Amino acid sequence: MSAGADWGAAAGQVERALQQVAPGRYDAYEALLHAIGEGQVWMLLWHGSPGSPDAQYGNMDVDGLGYAPCVTSAQELAASGWNRAHEVVDGRLIAD
């Protein structure tokens, strides 16, 4: 199996885990974090270009908590309509 196929399988795991997340389902949140840690995420860049020192991820506030929006595959990126740069990052780096 190629590395690309491995990442595709990992993205599928993240998307399946997302479907299970619900209030009180702590096991589902744990499974989601594990899936993210094993795959890659497409981080949306608000400013700059991938790998550059001025690169800045998008961010949003939900009920006083900060989040960096991302998607789990190239297909999801295309479907999102995001028209700025993005950076593909090892999920373990983002989950830490």
Side-chain angles (χ1 to χ4, degrees), residues 11-76:
Q13 283 182 318
V14 171
E15 290 164 4
R16 283 189 296 280
L18 278 169
Q19 293 173 354
Q20 300 302 313
V21 171
R25 289 279 322 269
Y26 300 112
D27 61 319
Y29 285 104
E30 187 174 323
L32 175 60
L33 288 175
H34 179 74
I36 290 171
E38 297 300 316
Q40 290 180 315
V41 290
W42 282 246
M43 299 300 297
L44 309 180
L45 289 174
W46 186 252
H47 179 75
S49 58
S52 72
D54 66 338
Q56 181 180 29
Y57 295 143
N59 61 66
M60 56 192 289
D61 180 85
V62 177
D63 291 334
L65 300 171
Y67 292 89
C70 64
V71 295
T72 59
S73 68
Q75 294 81 6
E76 293 294 322

Side-chain angles (χ1 to χ4, degrees), residues 79-90:
S80 76
W82 185 254
N83 61 2
R84 296 182 183 203
H86 68 280
E87 183 171 47
V88 181
V89 179
D90 185 8

